[in-house]
């Protein structure tokens, strides 16, 4: 049975309504979001980084984005860490309940978190995306090198701009991963994509399109 997710949202970054085009071409204007509210069903959630009850989904009130907030998504290595702690992953399948006559793509994904990496350690964030029944995108990877003890933010755009079919309901699948390599350091290094106070979240920005009648 699907788990319905409330459309109420906390603070979100505003999604841009324009895509940059070459200077010689006309600016491409993305159609505005559909009228009325939308909802998202969290169909499945699996992975060592998102145990049941540790991830929540919310929709921006202006229908420009949705966010996923984690509370226990952390990878660590070195010190007394177990080898299995060095890699954590999460696989989400969400169903966006789209108003009739509209379809959507994910134009941009913004990831945020915190990392404490010793000198010589590295942290990696990776994500791939696909609609149910369609080919999975090539994973997009971002790397942090120690020493680093601060917040981090990465954004994905390449390969995301694929619209869901107008004539079928398709789940949108998001596969993410955090990995930490301690290198030669004996210190504990970690990288997290979680937030206990809701201030850190992953934002997926919509691009809406009206279907041909």
């Amino acid at each position: 049975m699907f788990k319905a997710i409330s459309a109420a949202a906390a603070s979100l970054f505003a999604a841009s309504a324009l895509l940059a085009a070459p200077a010689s071409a006309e600016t491409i204007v993305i159609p505005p979001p559909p009228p009325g509210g939308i909802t998202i069903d969290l169909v499945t959630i699996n992975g060592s980084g998102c145990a049941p009850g540790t991830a929540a989904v919310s929709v921006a009130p202006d229908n420009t984005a949705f966010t996923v907030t984690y509370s226990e998504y952390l990878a660590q290595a070195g010190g007394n860490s177990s080898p299995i702690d060095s890699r954590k992953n999460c696989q989400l399948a969400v169903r966006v309940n789209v108003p009739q006559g509209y379809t959507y793509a994910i134009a941009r994904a913004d990831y945020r978190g915190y990392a404490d990496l010793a000198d010589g350690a590295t942290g990696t964030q990776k994500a791939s995306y696909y609609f149910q029944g369609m080919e999975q995108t090539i994973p997009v990877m971002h790397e942090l090198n120690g020493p680093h003890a601060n917040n981090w933010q990465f954004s994905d755009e390449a390969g995301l701009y694929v619209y869901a079919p107008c004539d079928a309901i398709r789940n949108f699948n998001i596969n993410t991963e955090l990995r930490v390599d301690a290198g030669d350091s004996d210190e504990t290094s970690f990288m997290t994509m979680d937030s206990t106070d809701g201030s850190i979240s992953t934002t997926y920005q919509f691009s809406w399109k009206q279907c041909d009648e």
Side-chain angles (χ1 to χ4, degrees), residues 13 70 73-75 109-117 123-127 140-145 148-156 176-180 190-195 199-204:
F13 284 101
Y70 303 95
Y73 202 159
L74 180 147
D110 295 314
Y111 295 90
R112 304 177 192 85
Y114 183 86
D116 190 343
L117 304 173
T124 303
Q125 182 266 324
K126 181 169 70 172
V140 182
M141 298 178 60
H142 305 277
E143 188 172 281
L144 282 175
N145 295 312
H148 179 102
N150 207 338
N151 296 324
W152 58 265
Q153 178 173 340
F154 298 126
S155 297
D156 294 350
T176 60
E177 178 183 318
L178 291 180
R179 187 186 296 269
V180 174
F190 69 86
M191 185 174 185
T192 179
M193 195 157 59
D194 66 6
S195 173
S199 62
I200 299 177
S201 58
T202 301
T203 303
Y204 299 92

Side-chain angles (χ1 to χ4, degrees), residues 44-96:
T44 60
I45 177 170
N46 295 288
S48 55
C50 55
T54 66
V57 181
S58 61
V59 184
D62 60 0
N63 294 347
T64 59
F66 71 91
T67 63
V68 181
T69 304
Y70 303 95
S71 60
E72 295 183 9
Y73 202 159
L74 180 147
Q76 64 180 16
N80 296 322
S81 302
S82 168
I84 64 174
D85 293 333
S86 64
R87 177 188 176 275
K88 294 298 176 72
N89 75 302
C90 185
Q91 300 179 4
L92 298 176
V94 298
R95 176 170 296 174
V96 181

Side-chain angles (χ1 to χ4, degrees), residues 115-192:
D116 190 343
L117 304 173
D119 189 15
T122 58
T124 303
Q125 182 266 324
K126 181 169 70 172
S128 60
Y129 319 84
Y130 64 100
F131 286 104
Q132 181 182 8
M134 301 174 70
E135 186 176 355
Q136 182 168 317
T137 62
I138 297 174
V140 182
M141 298 178 60
H142 305 277
E143 188 172 281
L144 282 175
N145 295 312
H148 179 102
N150 207 338
N151 296 324
W152 58 265
Q153 178 173 340
F154 298 126
S155 297
D156 294 350
E157 293 180 355
L160 279 177
Y161 220 82
V162 177
Y163 283 92
C166 282
D167 57 352
I169 298 175
R170 301 286 181 89
N171 296 338
F172 181 61
N173 298 281
I174 307 164
N175 296 331
T176 60
E177 178 183 318
L178 291 180
R179 187 186 296 269
V180 174
D181 185 341
D184 296 329
S185 175
D186 294 329
E187 301 177 44
T188 299
S189 293
F190 69 86
M191 185 174 185
T192 179

